[in-house]
Structures are given as structure tokens and as C-alpha cells.
């Protein structure tokens, strides 16, 4: 399931994040690459331990925890501390798949990567190219969102960042270990949760709201790993 989460960060937060990140020291993006990615990747990253990464990463984690759409879709058990990359002229990330397990160097946190996320921090008009191409059951999806918007997608997906031909692409990226490992199960739970919320808003006294909520939690109880 590919899901756009609009305005995870407000315009004010995006401006602040960009100010902090662009003043930071940047290094070769392959500092976090596996063997496969190292041959495909050309970009820059803020080191994981840099104060700028911790400051903006904290802002993002707080926004995620208070975003109902993200919580419903991801059912997060662990969120990898956000990382940050930038792509200048000619830089790209060829087709790859994310590592199944990621370990945070500072905390030692190790997570299974069920979901991948990209949070855009540059406006689409600020650069050409730099689209995130994600392969799913419906073919290749081209993603280039407004600054502050996030795309959530299965980490099993083949994906790439196309070469930047003008300007600069700035983004955050990270991974989520969900309480529900199976993507199909997560999709069913998400769609049911959204339907329950809509029914509750339209017919708050309908007994079906309680019954469906019970079904939702019984399925979550059956599928969740906590």
C-alpha cells in the first residue's frame, strides 16, 4: 500500500527544518549503504549523530506520533530515527530494495523494515528530476510531493530516485517496524479503521460502530506482534 500523508510538517516547520539541515555538515550518502546500495547511490547525507539530525528528527517523530493517518496505516512498533539526504545536479539512487533489518548506530536499536517513508523537504518547483519511483502491483508509481508531505510504502518494494537535472532535492527518509508484519493485513486494518471513523462521524449512535470496532480489535489482537 502506497499512502500519501499530506502536511505531516507545517510550512513553518519545513522552513525551520531546512534552515537547520542546510547549516549542517554533509557527508557521502554511502555512509549508511549496504553493498548493493553503495554501487547505486550518489547523494549526500547528514551524519546520524549530528545535532541537526537529532533536532529535525525529533520534530518529525513528534509529528508522526500525533498524526492519526500515519498511526492508522503504519501501526508502528518502532520508528527508525529519521535520516536526511540531498541530491544535487546529476545525483541519483538507482533501483534497489531496502535492507530487511536496520540498526541505529547510536542507540543500537534494531528494527525489521516493514515500511519505508520519504518526507519531502523541497518544493517540486525547486528542482527537476529527483522523482521517487516505486514499483508496486500496479506498475511504477512516480512520487514527487509538496514540502512537508510524506509517502509511506512497503519496504519490500523496488524503488529509485531519478537523476536531478536542476536545483536540489532535500528529504528525510526512515523505516518503520509495524506491529502487523503482513502488508495485506495492515491494508485491511487500515481500510476498516477508516470506514469505522467515517461511519462514526456520519452515524455516531449506530450500533454497527461498536460491532465493527470490536472486529477491528479482534483482528489486530490476532495479527499484532508486540
Amino acid at each position: 500500500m502506497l499512502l500519501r500523508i499530506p502536511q505531516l510538517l507545517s510550512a513553518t516547520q519545513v522552513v525551520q527544518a531546512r534552515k537547520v539541515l542546510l547549516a549542517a555538515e554533509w557527508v557521502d550518502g554511502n555512509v549508511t549503504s549496504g553493498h548493493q546500495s553503495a554501487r547505486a547511490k550518489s547523494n549526500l547525507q547528514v551524519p546520524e549523530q549530528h545535532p541537526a539530525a537529532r533536532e529535525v528528527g525529533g520534530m518529525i517523530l513528534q509529528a508522526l506520533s500525533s498524526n492519526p493517518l500515519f498511526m492508522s496505516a503504519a501501526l508502528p512498533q518502532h520508528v527508525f530515527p529519521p535520516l536526511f539526504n540531498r541530491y544535487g545536479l546529476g545525483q541519483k539512487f538507482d533501483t534497489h530494495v531496502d535492507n530487511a533489518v536496520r540498526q541505529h548506530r547510536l542507540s543500537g536499536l534494531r528494527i525489521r523494515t516493514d515500511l519505508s517513508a520519504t518526507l519531502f523537504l523541497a518544493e517540486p518547483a525547486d528542482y527537476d528530476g529527483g522523482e521517487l519511483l516505486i514499483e508496486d502491483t500496479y506498475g511504477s508509481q512516480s512520487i514527487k510531493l509538496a514540502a512537508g508531505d510524506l509517502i509511506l510504502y512497503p519496504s519490500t518494494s523496488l524503488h529509485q530516485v531519478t537523476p536531478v537535472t536542476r536545483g536540489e532535492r532535500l528529504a528525510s527518509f526512515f523505516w518503520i517496524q509495524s506491529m502487523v508484519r503482513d502488508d495485506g493485513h495492515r491494508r485491511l486494518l487500515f481500510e476498516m479503521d477508516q470506514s469505522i471513523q467515517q461511519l462514526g462521524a456520519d452515524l455516531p449512535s449506530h450500533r454497527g460502530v461498536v460491532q465493527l470496532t470490536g472486529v477491528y480489535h479482534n483482528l489486530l489482537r490476532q495479527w499484532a506482534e508486540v
Side-chain angles (χ1 to χ4, degrees):
M1 178 175 69
L2 272 68
L3 181 67
R4 175 184 172 229
I5 299 179
Q7 297 182 321
L8 179 76
L9 296 185
S10 68
T12 300
Q13 288 175 311
V14 169
V15 169
Q16 177 62 21
R18 287 179 56 85
K19 179 180 178 181
V20 172
L21 291 171
L22 293 177
E25 299 171 2
W26 292 75
V27 297
D28 190 317
N30 282 309
V31 295
T32 57
S33 296
H35 175 71
Q36 176 200 32
S37 295
R39 297 185 299 172
K41 183 179 186 182
S42 172
N43 66 11
L44 298 175
Q45 286 183 206
V46 177
E48 294 180 49
Q49 71 276 14
H50 197 285
R54 294 200 297 269
E55 179 181 343
V56 182
M59 179 194 301
I60 294 170
L61 292 174
Q62 184 174 12
L64 291 171
S65 67
S66 60
N67 187 284
L69 189 59
F70 171 80
M71 298 301 289
S72 176
L75 295 170
Q77 185 172 25
H78 300 295
V79 179
F80 195 91
L83 302 173
F84 302 90
N85 58 23
R86 63 197 292 188
Y87 292 78
L89 187 63
Q91 293 187 313
K92 59 187 175 64
F93 199 162
D94 290 334
T95 302
H96 64 284
V97 64
D98 290 337
N99 291 348
V101 176
R102 303 288 310 203
Q103 182 167 350
H104 189 243
R105 298 183 182 185
L106 300 181
S107 66
L109 173 68
R110 181 179 294 175
I111 74 165
R112 182 186 67 240
T113 57
D114 297 320
L115 292 160
S116 298
T118 296
L119 172 63
F120 290 80
L121 296 172
E123 294 293 353
D126 292 342
Y127 61 101
D128 292 332
E131 291 88 357
L132 175 63
L133 299 184
I134 303 172
E135 300 289 339
D136 71 0
T137 54
Y138 301 103
S140 181
Q141 309 296 317
S142 179
I143 313 294
K144 190 175 183 179
L145 303 180
D149 289 3
L150 179 138
I151 187 72
L152 191 66
Y153 59 98
S155 296
T156 52
S157 305
L158 289 172
H159 55 283
Q160 64 173 294
V161 176
T162 64
V164 170
T165 59
R166 179 187 64 85
E168 185 174 74
R169 179 190 193 269
L170 182 66
S172 174
F173 64 102
F174 51 94
W175 302 272
I176 300 99
Q177 178 174 321
S178 176
M179 291 186 291
V180 177
R181 181 195 296 249
D182 184 84
D183 183 59
H185 291 167
R186 280 197 311 275
R187 179 193 292 270
L188 288 173
L189 288 168
F190 174 67
E191 291 176 352
M192 181 176 287
D193 185 38
Q194 296 301 295
S195 297
I196 291 169
Q197 291 185 44
Q198 186 63 58
L199 181 60
D202 294 343
L203 300 168
S205 60
H206 197 291
R207 65 177 306 207
V209 175
V210 175
Q211 292 173 328
L212 285 172
T213 301
V215 173
Y216 172 88
H217 283 286
N218 285 333
L219 287 173
L220 181 59
R221 186 176 292 111
Q222 180 176 342
W223 291 335
E225 302 172 3
V226 295

